[in-house]
Amino acid sequence: MTRDDQVNRQTHEGSTTALSAEDLAALRENLNEQRLFRREQLRRLASPPAPRAGGVAARQTAARAEVGAKLAASARMVLTDVEAALKRMDEGSYGICRLCRRTIDLERLKIVPQARYCARCQQAKEFAP
């Protein structure tokens, strides 16, 4: 039996909920698509813009390079998160909040399949001083 065939049972505020094998398969497919997209994005961003001679053109090339570097950094960060989610899926800990250990809602996982935290803990992390 593969990990995708198993039902991922999790505890959420005292009740047991499950991600079905179909849910896990769909989420895995989404994560794999994201991984392919980010890898392709990074490949395209690795090609530096052709240098232009002089003044405004040189500043535009420099600005494009800076934007490209920021996009690449963001893509690498998302790719790392996606690969970590796939690893959690393989280990059987996918869909469990890394802070409170409660189930991450399926609806949240459908929107952000690489989510490490439930919505409540994510909000607390974002607004913590």
Side-chain angles (χ1 to χ4, degrees):
M1 179 182 299
T2 68
R3 290 259 186 236
D4 285 344
D5 293 334
Q6 294 176 349
V7 176
N8 191 4
R9 300 232 173 253
Q10 304 162 11
T11 302
H12 181 69
E13 299 177 337
S15 66
T16 300
T17 60
L19 290 174
S20 69
E22 292 80 18
D23 292 335
L24 286 170
L27 290 163
R28 181 180 293 276
E29 182 178 345
N30 185 315
L31 288 164
N32 281 319
E33 287 173 7
Q34 283 192 50
R35 179 169 51 187
L36 289 173
F37 173 79
R38 295 302 174 180
R39 286 179 176 169
E40 175 61 19
Q41 183 183 30
L42 285 167
R43 187 192 63 74
R44 281 186 269 123
L45 289 169
S47 304
R52 296 182 179 180
V56 172
R59 286 192 300 274
Q60 288 175 338
T61 298
R64 282 191 192 102
E66 183 179 343
V67 168
K70 288 181 181 184
L71 286 172
S74 177
R76 278 190 296 276
M77 191 169 66
V78 172
L79 180 58
T80 298
D81 288 346
V82 166
E83 289 176 340
L86 287 165
K87 184 177 180 185
R88 289 192 305 276
M89 204 174 265
D90 291 342
E91 294 169 346
S93 62
Y94 179 78
I96 300 170
C97 179
R98 306 284 275 191
L99 290 178
C100 70
R101 310 303 296 162
R102 290 188 178 123
T103 301
I104 299 172
D105 291 331
L106 177 59
E107 292 307 310
R108 175 167 169 72
L109 291 171
K110 286 180 179 178
I111 296 166
V112 186
Q114 69 271 23
R116 294 172 189 235
Y117 308 106
C118 67
R120 186 176 64 166
C121 289
Q122 182 68 47
Q123 187 175 23
K125 280 182 61 65
E126 289 174 4
F127 294 107

